[in-house]
Amino acid sequence: MEDGFMQGPMDEQGLIKLSGNIEHVIYSNEENGFAICDLGTDTDDLITITGILPYIGEGDVVTVYGRWVHNPKYGRQFKVEQSEKQLPADRASILRYLSSGTIKGIGPKTAQRIVDEFGDETFDVMENHPEWLSAIQGITPKRARAISDDFKNKAGIRSAMLFFREFFGAAVTVRIYKKWGGSAVDMAKNNPYLLCEEIEGIGFERADRLAVKLGLDKDSEERLCSGVLYMLGSNAGQNGHVCLPREKLIAGAAKLLEASPERVESAVSTLLGEQKLRTVNFEGVQYIYDKKHYEHEKYIARKLTLLDKVCPAMDTANIGSFIAKEESESGIQYAALQRQALFDALENGVMLLTGGPGTGKTTVVRALLHIFDSMGLNIALCAPTGRAAKRLSESTSCEAKTIHRLLEYGGEEGKGMRFHRDEKNLLDENVVIVDEASMVDNELMSALLRAIKPGARFIIIGDADQLPSVGAGNVLRDLLESRRFATVRLTEIFRQARQSLIITNAHAINRGEMPRLDVKDNDFFFLPRERDSDIAATVAQLYKTRLPRTYGELAVNGTQVICPSRKGETGTENLNVILQATLNPPAPDKREHRYRELIFREGDRVMQIRNNYDIEWERPDGTLGTGIFNGDIGVIERINPASEHMEIRFDDRHVAYDFNMLDELEPAYAVTVHKSQGSEYPIVILPLGSAAPMLLSRNLLYTAVTRAQSMVILVGREDVARAMVDNNRQSMRYTGLCYWLSMEDRA
């Protein structure tokens, strides 16, 4: 006994084991399997258990493995990490189980009739002879089949939980079972590598561990083919590649799989024969694609070429009169390159506009909105992230949407991106303008283009000198390098912008020049610190006291620490621990939850670190929707240990996260430069301490500085800043968009 509760025996993993009957289901979520139940044990103790307990019902006989936890409101509970469920064996238990409503179509009266008729053989009849059930009063043959199907469905999850418990958490097992149903275990046994190909959240390494346990040959074709697909999909995509040279693919897969290049070459040939891979020769080098990236890239080239060709032509004189009228009405005399941008956007079906901060991109967009509106054209304004869309709305005084919202995302669980707007349901707008295009990867650009109707104008705006998209591809840079479409690069920094040291320093960095670090009365400051520990301490002090004391609410809610690296004393992982302790320390009125090495606390800033297309959100006005995306930042408003979920507010969207989803979140007091893309913050603090040389690059420093609206503070070593300015090495991304565009030109 421990504090009045049964301790229970422990298994080999150190988990406590309890067995008993489910007396009462307090709460159950069919979507993710989370439940809160009262468990009756042999010692007559009634224990509250919580965790992933899919399809649990009163009367179930269960063995659960887990740990005792203390709930601040409800006291001691048993948190289930693994579970096994057995069917009741005796007549009374069977009746109670069926009477609980666990099986759809059976209530207490029907349960009594079935048990009276079949007794201890009831479950055998339901599974193997469902037609016998139709002899019971009130059960039609159709209803009998439905009862049998639901019974077998719930029996299947039991075997799946038992089989997968050693390799995956309960939440992942529920996902597997929802995908494959009763055949889940057989599918995994026959080819465990299907798990990483078809189940979201299972990587190759986890599927490989299961395969090893099952005794599969490390040189089996299934393993080699799956490893190759992983190299081209998840692994290459994490580095931004859309395809890989055949030699690099073979070498990388051979190292990953610990297999000979000859065996990997054979697997590649098999996958090419099955058309799961595609091969293309660019300038004498053979590149290999997986099917998805191949189709996305080819489609982007084809659709952009089509849009550019079929856009209705405008008379040059008319274009000039529209621009002159806009100048007269706005009172703005456009610079030569701005006029050229307006002209090209009106004359062409596809137009690219790029340039750094302060060069007048927003002025051009505002003018285009006025001109297109005066022409009676419908306009869609969009950006890849919610923050970028909000900023675009504010700067243009027109509604801007995320690309996902514009395309009316409506996902189905586990099926990735699914949009209601596509080739079969085109957008109505005659003009589509996308901002922050450097962030748009191949998959999202392909989805957007599928929804744009032929004849519409497509205007792509972005800063090509910023970091490329997190996802696979380098769309904006490839389009610029292709020289296929009308392009204007704004270079002049306008007078008002020249007064900002943020802007002039950003352009200096981009030219390979050191930023001014000696100015004390502008919007760009440098605080020299030599030791990494001093840099971290100064960042925390700035965030906690110095900035709020001077700038008040702007600093409290508008400061963001942006780091080149995750690791080290000045990386995001360490700074998030320090900043959480400094800005949001433990308090009696703040609930918290430990997940792995992280502590999530009410009031914490957190970031979504992967796209979740299925999660539901609600706005204060009752509007419902789905999807929280990589890079979205929110605040934990409430943690509920009893129901094992937390409520997070992302701007005006409120979302409930189950505790088993917390691998999708991380603290966001400090974020990497990559994660800051598409966002702007009033105040940016950039620690410049020790980091891997590959992370100390010019475009990374440039991207970080251009995230700031009102103030940049560099804290650290001047030699680190100089190393970043001097390092103009661009991260290599294997893509083929320029090639496909050249092929479209020849068609």
Side-chain angles (χ1 to χ4, degrees), residues 59-297:
D60 275 338
V61 179
V62 298
T63 299
V64 293
Y65 303 82
R67 308 180 194 279
W68 292 106
V69 297
H70 182 77
N71 182 294
K73 185 174 180 180
Y74 299 103
R76 187 173 287 275
Q77 297 179 338
F78 190 80
K79 183 175 181 179
V80 176
E81 296 189 21
Q82 299 170 2
S83 67
E84 299 171 5
K85 186 161 58 171
Q86 302 85 37
L87 285 172
D90 62 89
R91 187 186 184 103
S93 298
I94 292 171
L95 176 60
R96 185 176 175 213
Y97 174 78
L98 293 180
S99 298
S100 69
T102 297
I103 305 299
K104 293 178 182 176
I106 299 180
K109 291 183 179 179
T110 303
Q112 186 68 63
R113 295 189 186 113
I114 293 173
V115 175
D116 286 346
E117 180 70 23
F118 301 113
D120 293 347
E121 305 300 317
T122 293
F123 291 148
D124 180 63
V125 170
M126 292 171 67
E127 183 170 7
N128 301 307
H129 307 286
E131 68 278 5
W132 295 2
L133 294 172
S134 58
I136 303 296
Q137 179 185 346
I139 300 181
T140 64
K142 181 179 179 180
R143 186 181 174 192
R145 288 192 298 273
I147 289 171
S148 178
D149 288 344
D150 195 49
F151 175 77
K152 287 188 280 191
N153 190 40
K154 290 177 170 62
I157 191 66
R158 281 195 298 275
S159 62
M161 294 292 286
L162 189 62
F163 178 77
F164 291 115
R165 57 175 282 196
E166 185 179 342
F167 307 98
F168 311 118
V172 173
T173 300
V174 171
R175 207 176 300 148
I176 297 169
Y177 190 76
K178 284 194 170 189
K179 175 74 174 180
W180 291 327
S183 60
V185 172
D186 289 338
M187 293 278 283
K189 284 181 176 178
N190 291 335
N191 184 2
Y193 297 103
L194 286 174
L195 292 165
C196 62
E197 294 177 30
E198 300 193 27
I199 307 298
E200 188 177 351
I202 298 181
F204 174 80
E205 292 90 345
R206 298 176 77 185
D208 203 31
R209 285 198 296 271
L210 173 59
V212 169
K213 185 73 173 183
L214 292 172
L216 267 70
D217 184 356
K218 291 192 74 172
D219 260 3
S220 69
E221 188 171 80
E222 292 90 347
R223 180 175 187 267
L224 297 176
C225 286
S226 181
V228 168
L229 290 172
Y230 170 75
M231 280 291 297
L232 274 173
S234 299
N235 191 47
Q238 287 170 6
N239 296 306
H241 304 309
V242 173
C243 53
L244 288 174
R246 187 166 189 148
E247 289 185 2
K248 285 188 175 292
L249 172 63
I250 300 298
K255 183 177 180 180
L256 169 75
L257 299 166
E258 298 178 341
S260 69
E262 293 76 19
R263 291 288 295 140
V264 174
E265 184 71 60
S266 175
V268 169
S269 298
T270 297
L271 291 166
L272 287 168
E274 295 173 350
Q275 296 194 336
K276 291 182 178 179
L277 297 183
R278 300 285 195 276
T279 179
V280 182
N281 286 304
F282 304 152
E283 300 178 349
V285 178
Q286 189 178 52
Y287 288 83
I288 306 290
Y289 284 83
D290 67 10
K291 185 178 179 182
K292 180 182 78 170
H293 287 122
Y294 177 84
E295 292 176 349
H296 286 325
E297 206 166 55

Side-chain angles (χ1 to χ4, degrees), residues 341-501:
L342 295 172
F343 193 95
D344 286 352
L346 293 167
E347 187 180 39
N348 296 280
V350 176
M351 184 265 182
L352 307 175
L353 177 63
T354 186
T359 56
K361 295 194 299 294
T362 301
T363 299
V364 173
V365 174
R366 281 197 292 255
L368 286 173
L369 292 172
H370 294 155
I371 293 172
F372 286 134
D373 183 62
S374 70
M375 295 168 61
L377 300 179
N378 297 324
I379 309 159
L381 202 56
C382 63
T385 68
R387 285 177 175 267
K390 182 179 180 181
R391 193 175 69 252
L392 187 58
S393 294
E394 293 169 349
S395 64
T396 61
S397 300
C398 292
E399 182 187 17
K401 300 177 179 179
T402 63
I403 297 174
H404 288 83
R405 185 178 168 207
L406 176 67
L407 300 182
E408 298 174 16
Y409 169 77
E412 295 179 23
E413 187 171 351
K415 294 191 177 180
M417 280 197 280
R418 296 178 63 84
F419 298 107
H420 293 304
R421 293 289 187 171
D422 54 21
E423 301 100 324
K424 298 178 182 178
N425 185 23
L426 295 168
L427 293 167
D428 299 323
E429 286 81 3
N430 313 101
V431 180
V432 176
I433 301 175
V434 59
D435 195 16
E436 292 284 0
S438 63
M439 293 183 62
V440 181
D441 61 23
N442 273 33
E443 187 171 7
L444 190 56
M445 180 59 79
S446 174
L448 178 58
L449 285 167
R450 290 177 194 279
I452 298 176
K453 64 184 180 183
R457 286 175 172 79
F458 187 37
I459 300 167
I460 304 167
I461 303 170
D463 186 345
D465 295 313
Q466 290 185 19
L467 293 171
S469 59
V470 174
N474 205 352
V475 178
L476 179 61
R477 186 174 291 275
D478 285 349
L479 293 179
L480 292 168
E481 289 182 359
S482 76
R483 302 179 183 273
R484 173 64 184 76
F485 305 103
T487 299
V488 174
R489 184 181 189 112
L490 300 176
T491 56
E492 180 183 353
I493 305 175
F494 288 93
R495 183 165 58 92
Q496 185 176 355
R498 285 198 298 269
Q499 298 172 6
S500 167
L501 203 55

